[in-house]
Amino acid sequence: QVQLAESGGGTVQAGGSLRLSCGISGRTYSSHAMGWFRQAPGKEREFVAGVRWSNGAARYADFVEGRFTISRDRSANTVDLQMNSLKPEDTGTYFCARRVGAPTTGASEYDYWGQGTQVTVSS
C-alpha cells in the first residue's frame, strides 16, 4: 500500500516562495511518475508538474512559466515542488499523486493521492 503525505504549504505574499514536499511510503519503482496537482475552490483539479522517477525528467503546465521546479529524491523517497514568484492565482490545495508510466496531465490517470496541503498567496 502506498501512502503520500504533503507538507510545506502556508500563506505567502505575492512574489514569495514556498517549497512543498511529498513523502512517499511504500516502494517506488522506475516505472512510476509523480505529479503535483492543485485545486482552487469551485474549480477542477489541474496538473502543475510531473517527474519520471527513473531519470528525473520533468514536465510542467503552461501556467508555471518557469516559476516552479519539481524534483525527486530517490534515496529519501520524496518529491518536492519549489515554487517561486508566486501569484494570487496560485492559491489552492496542492496534491501529490503517483501513476505508473510517464507523467501525464490527467488527474484520473493517477492511482494514489495525498491529502493535500493548502497554499495561499495574498496580493
Side-chain angles (χ1 to χ4, degrees):
Q1 183 71 13
V2 174
Q3 291 185 320
L4 309 177
E6 302 93 339
S7 61
T11 299
V12 64
Q13 289 190 330
S17 299
L18 282 174
R19 187 176 184 89
L20 306 183
S21 186
C22 175
I24 308 165
S25 67
R27 190 166 178 183
T28 309
Y29 296 91
S30 296
S31 59
H32 291 154
M34 298 299 299
W36 281 98
F37 288 76
R38 70 186 187 186
Q39 188 166 19
K43 294 189 176 182
E44 292 189 353
R45 194 168 296 189
E46 64 178 350
F47 174 80
V48 176
V51 64
R52 281 185 180 267
W53 196 256
S54 58
N55 61 6
R59 68 180 294 183
Y60 298 92
D62 290 343
F63 62 77
V64 169
E65 298 176 322
R67 300 180 296 130
F68 299 175
T69 303
I70 188 171
S71 60
R72 94 275 187 254
D73 185 328
R74 295 177 67 173
S75 61
N77 233 27
T78 57
V79 58
D80 290 355
L81 184 68
Q82 176 66 43
M83 304 188 295
N84 300 326
S85 302
L86 283 162
K87 306 175 182 179
E89 51 263 44
D90 293 318
T91 294
T93 303
Y94 283 69
F95 301 88
C96 68
R98 193 205 78 172
R99 73 180 304 269
V100 176
T104 58
T105 61
S108 63
E109 298 173 53
Y110 289 74
D111 52 3
Y112 287 98
W113 290 84
Q115 294 298 308
T117 186
Q118 178 66 34
V119 171
T120 303
V121 184
S122 59
S123 57

